[in-house]
Amino acid sequence: GTALNDSAITASVKTRLAADAELKMLDIHVETEEGRTVLTGTAPNAAARDRAEGMARAVDGVKSVDNRLEVKP
């Protein structure tokens, strides 16, 4: 079902973020519904924010990414 796929997508995105030296230090929340992934939390700069979005987009099954990360230096 879709719920199983969504939880697998969420887990994959979290795994990718955790493998990144800078992003793993951040408190990024990941939620996926019907292939639409939402990132919430904070990022230290725009580059980190954009990198998190790019990593999420690279995960199989992700249809779109709603990047709601706030940049807080």
Side-chain angles (χ1 to χ4, degrees):
T2 309
L4 179 63
N5 292 346
D6 287 340
S7 57
I9 290 168
T10 296
S12 294
V13 173
K14 286 181 175 180
T15 299
R16 284 181 187 238
L17 295 176
D20 184 278
E22 185 178 22
L23 298 178
K24 72 179 179 184
M25 307 301 288
L26 307 178
D27 187 20
I28 298 176
H29 296 277
V30 181
E31 288 182 41
T32 306
E33 187 172 336
E34 296 180 8
R36 292 188 296 274
T37 299
V38 179
L39 303 177
T40 54
T42 58
N45 52 53
R49 180 184 189 274
D50 293 346
R51 195 161 74 249
E53 180 176 339
M55 289 179 150
R57 287 187 188 283
V59 171
D60 281 344
V62 171
K63 295 175 186 164
S64 66
V65 176
D66 183 359
N67 189 344
R68 299 182 189 171
L69 295 175
E70 290 183 62
V71 175
K72 291 186 179 176

